[in-house]
Amino acid sequence: MFPARVKAVLGPTNTGKTHLAITRMLAHASGIIGFPLRLLARENYDRMVAVKGERHVALITGEEKIVPPEAKWFACTVEAMPLGSGSQGRTEFVAVDEIQLCADPDRGHIFTDRLLNARGLVETMFLGAETIRPLLQRLVPQAEIETRPRLSQLSYAGPAKLTRLPPRSAVVAFSAGEVYAIAEAIRRRRGGCAVVMGRLSPRTRNAQVALYQNREVDFLVATDAIGMGLNMDVDHVAFASLTKFDGHRSRPLEAQEAAQIAGRAGRGMRDGTFGVTADCPPLPEEMVAKIEGHQFEPLMTLAWRNAKLDMTSIDGLLDSLAASPPVPGLAKGNDATDHITLAALAREQEVRNLANSRARVRLLWETCQIPDFRKLADDSHTRLCARVFGHLVKEGHLPADWVGGQIAQCASIEGDIDTLMTRLSAIRVWSYIAARADWLRDATRFQNEARAAEDAVSDALHERLTARFVDRRAAHLIRRLDDTAEELLSAVTRKGEVVVEGHPVGHVTGFVFEPDATAGNGEERKLVLRAARRALQSEMPKRVTELETASDDAFTLTPAHRIVWNGAEVARLRPGPTPDKPLVEPLPSEFLDGAQRERVRARLAAWIEGMIKRDFAAIDAAEAKAAEDGALRGPAFRLREHLGLVPGGTEAEVNPELRQKLKAIGIRAGRFALYLPEVLKPRPMALRAQLWALKAECDTPELPGGGLVSVPPPEGWPEGFAGSMGWVQAGPVLLRLDVAERVAGELGHLTRRAPAMLPPDVASRLGVKADTLPTVLNVLGFRLLTPEAPAEDVFGPPAPPMVSARREDHRSRFRPDRRGGDRRPERAPARPPREAAVAGAEGAAPAEEG
């Protein structure tokens, strides 16, 4: 029989070593391959299942065992490889990946044991870096060594800011805090990233990698976990730091370690680059040369720990673990967690009393090998191992309630990212315990519960990571905006929502774009605006055309002097040279050019001009009629300046002849104002209020409802507004101008010669209560006279009140300016009413007919 073949395939990253080993293993009838990480074991297990099917492929890690009855090919972590020491392998093929980890001071002794003792019946293969060649030749002289060159070029690209990193980049940091900070910065500036750390479960890690591989994000932030063969489409690797904490101290990154990480850039025949970013200093030239040339100092020693352990007693076991290496080239590494835990438990008398036989010492050693994934830096892990050992010795198995309760406690999906990652570490411990079928009566149940708990927490962690570090909208938009070859798919919905590439980016109201509220105020907002500009290039011209062709009914004015079109404010009014010529100013919009703004302005100006011409047509008609008579042109001009109503009495300025002429052309020269009755109608009055408030630079006050003839003085009306709007101040109320003029005219006619009986309907016509009527009449220029009843009529009905006119100089109410304008009405002090009734007020305006 031919001796088993031992082969070492060495070389840098991206040489196809792992692919070669898996292909060779699957060509044998059976095989085992060991990987340095659980993530790698799971990844390659899936590849093997795709070729051979689930029935024939097994996965064995410390926390997970999937071993079908017909399993022939095994993907394992190196620690969990089901091999005995010595040369008695159980499968035809055995392989160990990343064999240079023999030099690792913490885990290296496991790899060294596999190098020295793990053999396949037909073929054994070790895969790793060229640095282990001298020691491998010395310790395994029968091994055939094959060197494979890298399939692609790896070159140094120098420093680059995070905002300048090319797409398909991986940023590498060496602590969770650094990873989070960089991931957050990339999310703000580049749309988001996937996150990969060694503490992630395979499920979370695969979900995060899928974000990257599926190009939902173009960036990956990771720890050095990606250096161990995790295959992704990375074009550039950027170091955010050159210092790492190795579990004992912070130290500079070695050139070989940097090369292992940088080598993730480029895949297959595609070249890759590496560099630095953030606050990381440039790589030393010597290190760059080594990485680019794949030339590193050979390893001088490999970590070793005695595999032939003395199980007769605890002290014998500790002594055998402390044994010195048997040959040169091997050296003791750091004491592993299992050794430290054993030494701590050996100091407890209760544990020593229980470990009183070879079988129990072996059991104690197995419990000490429970991995300390939590790394809480206290004695909690030692306490856990002691409790497990105690239950197994005293009861023969672990209590179901205790194990089930611990797993259930770890299954909670509440908490932040760090809480969930800590919980995942705890689940891994209980998954390892549940995988020991000899420790539990119903191991399958607890394995399933632990797997379900890990899946639930893994999914929750993936969601938290994605929510915190990925903005799918921004990432997609950045990629599509940078691709100038293709047109963006964009649309504006009927409700004004702007959608770009399927992502809502904001709302367009009129000609103003409002970014989505979630965009914030930084880089993401700039990105959304950039996408909106591309999306609205064709939308805004269409909107300008729609506004130009819209009917007048499509426009309205707000009290704040904004013009609204289709429910959106598109322009504002500014005071013009005269009240009837306001200026239109389109609201600022970066999406309208100068020509488009002018088109909008011209259409809205035409609408305002048309509305003023329509509602104030009576002013134009009166001016046209007054043009032939010089005496009429002055009052008509003043009405134009005041939009049809000039507050203040006209008795002193307008003689009866002129009053009749004005009345003939539709102008009323009354006791309280010069006005056109048509402008007192609701629609012209509303426009007058708008234009008055525009000139006064205030919001338009609310007018009383139609049909009211008197109202209490509204709060908040500016000074002068009531009179300009056709309301006469009459004591505690405001009277509508036309009603006040009509009633005052009638009463003036009745009392022109002597006091007269007060008509019974005066209070109702004025819309006031009887108790306020004397005050109102007094302001209007009249007084009530209550006659004394004769003695014989004391018990008869009261006599109706008498009304008389009181003399008041109204001339001061309306004084023309010699320069052609009107000065503000001035009120002269009222003269006290006469003691006796008079026939009528001198110069009083005659009654106006309705």
Side-chain angles (χ1 to χ4, degrees):
M1 184 176 180
F2 294 102
R5 181 186 184 189
V6 179
K7 184 176 183 178
V9 181
L10 307 178
T13 55
N14 194 29
T15 57
K17 299 186 295 293
T18 304
H19 177 75
L20 171 66
I22 292 177
T23 302
R24 290 292 302 154
M25 180 178 69
L26 297 182
H28 288 281
S30 61
I32 297 174
I33 183 168
F35 297 98
L37 299 176
R38 180 192 182 199
L39 298 174
L40 271 179
R42 165 60 81 166
E43 179 182 282
N44 287 288
Y45 164 77
D46 293 336
R47 292 172 57 189
M48 293 158 60
V49 166
V51 177
K52 293 296 186 179
E54 292 183 354
R55 292 173 52 196
H56 304 296
V57 180
L59 172 67
I60 303 178
T61 68
E63 308 97 88
E64 192 172 14
K65 287 183 173 60
I66 303 175
V67 186
E70 301 178 35
K72 298 179 180 178
W73 297 277
F74 296 77
C76 315
T77 52
V78 173
E79 285 86 346
M81 293 175 70
L83 300 171
S85 59
S87 60
Q88 301 300 316
R90 297 183 297 173
T91 57
E92 290 188 2
F93 180 88
V94 170
V96 180
D97 196 13
E98 305 293 355
I99 195 65
Q100 77 277 359
L101 287 179
C102 287
D104 183 78
D106 294 312
R107 299 176 62 205
H109 65 274
I110 302 293
F111 286 82
T112 300
D113 178 72
R114 303 297 185 252
L115 176 68
L116 299 177
N117 302 316
R119 298 292 182 268
L121 294 173
V122 177
E123 185 177 6
T124 301
M125 184 176 289
F126 299 112
L127 318 170
E130 187 73 22
T131 54
I132 200 174
R133 175 192 284 265
L135 286 175
L136 192 148
Q137 288 177 320
R138 183 194 307 175
L139 297 172
V140 189
Q142 73 274 25
E144 303 172 16
I145 297 180
E146 175 187 341
T147 299
R148 294 173 68 91
R150 182 177 168 89
L151 299 176
S152 61
Q153 185 116 9
L154 185 63
S155 56
Y156 182 55
K161 295 181 179 179
L162 286 174
T163 54
R164 299 294 183 182
L165 289 176
R168 315 312 293 166
S169 289
V171 181
V172 179
F174 296 97
S175 71
E178 286 181 311
V179 168
Y180 295 159
I182 293 169
E184 182 68 31
I186 291 179
R187 188 198 68 80
R188 291 196 308 267
R189 293 172 172 83
R190 308 300 294 272
C193 60
V195 173
V196 172
M197 294 186 283
R199 295 172 61 193
L200 299 183
S201 67
R203 189 181 181 94
T204 305
R205 174 262 176 190
N206 290 343
Q208 286 291 301
V209 169
L211 287 176
Y212 179 81
Q213 291 294 90
N214 297 336
R215 293 183 176 268
E216 294 187 55
V217 294
D218 276 330
F219 299 91
L220 176 74
V221 181
T223 61
D224 53 347
I226 67 167
M228 291 298 172
L230 295 179
N231 296 312
M232 288 167 285
D233 295 324
V234 175
D235 293 337
H236 178 77
V237 169
F239 291 92
S241 174
L242 295 177
T243 303
K244 67 175 292 185
F245 181 73
D246 61 7
H248 304 278
R249 59 186 177 90
S250 292
R251 60 173 178 80
L253 203 63
E254 296 179 1
Q256 171 63 44
E257 293 172 316
Q260 188 76 23
I261 298 168
R264 294 302 106 198
R267 190 173 184 183
M269 302 301 294
R270 190 176 67 247
D271 293 341
T273 58
F274 65 98
V276 296
T277 190
D279 297 327
C280 184
L283 290 176
E285 293 183 4
E286 182 181 0
M287 180 180 287
V288 170
K290 290 180 179 179
I291 296 174
E292 289 182 334
H294 314 297
Q295 299 294 326
F296 307 98
E297 292 81 4
L299 299 175
M300 303 304 296
T301 58
L302 305 182
W304 178 88
R305 188 173 78 176
N306 186 18
K308 298 178 180 179
L309 302 178
D310 180 4
M311 298 295 178
T312 58
S313 66
I314 293 179
D315 293 331
L317 177 57
L318 288 171
D319 290 342
S320 60
L321 286 170
S324 299
V327 296
L330 302 179
K332 283 182 60 61
N334 299 326
D335 288 341
T337 303
D338 52 4
H339 190 173
I340 295 172
T341 303
L342 176 65
L345 292 180
R347 292 191 290 269
E348 299 188 11
Q349 190 59 47
E350 182 180 356
V351 173
R352 284 185 168 274
N353 293 339
L354 292 176
N356 54 11
S357 67
R358 181 182 294 272
R360 290 188 175 182
V361 171
R362 185 178 299 279
L363 179 60
L364 175 62
W365 177 237
E366 291 175 355
T367 58
C368 291
Q369 290 181 301
I370 297 173
D372 183 16
F373 295 121
R374 295 175 296 176
K375 293 181 171 53
L376 298 177
D378 56 22
D379 67 344
S380 57
H381 182 70
T382 302
R383 295 295 94 218
L384 173 65
C385 294
R387 184 169 181 179
V388 170
F389 176 65
H391 283 304
L392 293 177
V393 170
K394 297 174 183 178
E395 304 166 26
H397 61 273
L398 299 179
D401 292 344
W402 177 53
V403 176
Q406 292 295 317
I407 294 176
Q409 187 176 347
C410 296
S412 171
I413 60 174
E414 302 299 325
D416 57 15
I417 291 175
D418 289 331
T419 299
L420 293 176
M421 291 185 72
T422 301
R423 204 167 286 147
L424 266 181
S425 299
I427 292 174
R428 292 183 66 188
V429 173
W430 288 102
S431 295
Y432 180 93
I433 293 173
R436 291 296 302 258
D438 54 335
W439 290 1
L440 295 161
R441 286 184 174 175
D442 192 359
T444 302
R445 167 199 160 191
F446 294 115
Q447 289 169 13
N448 293 335
E449 290 181 0
R451 188 176 300 114
E454 180 174 315
D455 289 348
V457 176
S458 296
D459 291 343
L461 178 57
H462 171 62
E463 291 176 4
R464 302 287 198 288
L465 289 169
T466 302
R468 179 170 174 183
F469 299 126
V470 176
D471 184 340
R472 285 186 169 91
R473 175 181 65 186
H476 187 195
L477 291 179
I478 287 174
R479 184 162 51 251
R480 296 290 286 114
L481 287 169
D482 290 341
D483 185 2
T484 57
E486 296 186 27
E487 185 177 350
L488 282 177
L489 297 176
S490 61
V492 180
T493 67
R494 291 183 177 180
K495 295 182 179 180
E497 184 178 35
V498 182
V499 181
V500 180
E501 291 290 327
H503 299 283
V505 298
H507 283 77
V508 60
T509 305
F511 302 105
V512 177
F513 174 73
E514 287 294 334
D516 190 80
T518 61
N521 297 315
E523 296 293 330
E524 189 175 355
R525 185 181 180 88
K526 295 178 182 178
L527 171 67
V528 165
L529 288 172
R530 182 180 166 199
R533 290 188 191 99
R534 293 273 293 271
L536 296 174
Q537 282 178 350
S538 60
E539 176 67 19
M540 286 307 183
K542 289 194 302 183
R543 291 195 167 214
V544 172
T545 301
E546 289 176 9
L547 182 141
E548 280 187 309
T549 57
S551 66
D552 288 347
D553 295 339
F555 307 113
T556 56
L557 274 171
T558 71
H561 316 300
R562 302 297 178 99
I563 301 178
V564 176
W565 169 61
N566 285 346
E569 295 181 354
V570 293
R572 58 173 160 253
L573 293 183
R574 295 291 192 196
T578 59
D580 62 335
K581 295 186 182 300
L583 303 179
V584 176
E585 180 182 291
L587 295 181
S589 172
E590 62 178 299
F591 299 98
L592 295 180
D593 58 26
Q596 291 170 331
R597 285 176 57 83
E598 176 56 26
R599 289 166 60 190
V600 171
R601 189 207 64 77
R603 174 65 184 94
L604 297 178
W607 169 69
I608 286 289
E609 183 179 353
M611 182 167 57
I612 292 175
K613 192 173 186 63
R614 178 197 66 200
D615 290 352
F616 298 141
I619 299 177
D620 293 335
E623 274 192 321
K625 294 175 182 178
E628 300 176 357
D629 190 334
L632 300 177
R633 284 199 295 269
F637 176 76
R638 287 194 291 274
L639 286 174
R640 164 69 65 185
E641 286 187 317
H642 289 80
L643 299 177
L645 192 156
V646 183
T650 63
E651 293 93 334
E653 290 79 18
V654 179
N655 58 46
E657 181 183 358
L658 179 58
R659 182 174 292 108
Q660 290 301 318
K661 288 183 178 181
L662 290 173
K663 183 177 180 181
I665 64 173
I667 299 175
R668 299 291 189 268
R671 291 168 174 259
F672 308 107
L674 179 73
Y675 67 100
L676 287 165
E678 288 83 354
V679 303
L680 300 182
K681 295 179 180 180
R683 193 165 67 181
M685 187 60 68
L687 183 57
R688 289 189 74 254
Q690 185 92 44
L691 297 177
W692 187 97
L694 178 67
K695 185 177 181 180
E697 298 182 350
C698 65
D699 287 352
T700 307
E702 185 177 357
L703 294 174
L708 296 176
V709 297
S710 69
V711 294
E715 294 183 5
W717 273 17
E719 183 180 357
F721 181 72
S724 296
M725 294 302 108
W727 292 91
V728 178
Q729 180 75 49
V733 297
L734 296 177
L735 296 179
R736 204 172 72 195
L737 173 63
D738 56 341
V739 174
E741 292 281 7
R742 188 179 305 117
V743 172
E746 292 176 3
L747 294 179
H749 181 72
L750 288 175
T751 61
R752 68 185 182 278
R753 298 186 182 278
M757 302 292 290
L758 179 70
D761 62 345
V762 169
S764 62
R765 289 175 64 189
L766 292 175
V768 298
K769 296 180 179 180
D771 58 348
T772 62
L773 183 60
T775 303
V776 171
L777 290 178
N778 189 56
V779 174
L780 294 181
F782 302 91
R783 58 186 296 207
L784 284 180
L785 301 176
T786 305
E788 296 182 2
E792 61 273 14
D793 294 334
V794 169
F795 299 102
M802 303 287 287
V803 62
S804 70
R806 65 180 177 82
R807 189 177 186 87
E808 180 177 354
D809 186 0
H810 296 286
R811 286 176 294 181
S812 62
R813 293 177 178 267
F814 179 80
R815 294 182 179 176
D817 192 332
R818 296 184 182 276
R819 292 171 295 180
D822 286 331
R823 292 189 304 183
R824 183 178 183 85
E826 299 177 3
R827 180 180 297 274
R831 295 180 182 179
R834 295 181 179 180
E835 292 299 327
V838 297
E842 295 182 5
E848 293 287 352
E849 297 181 3

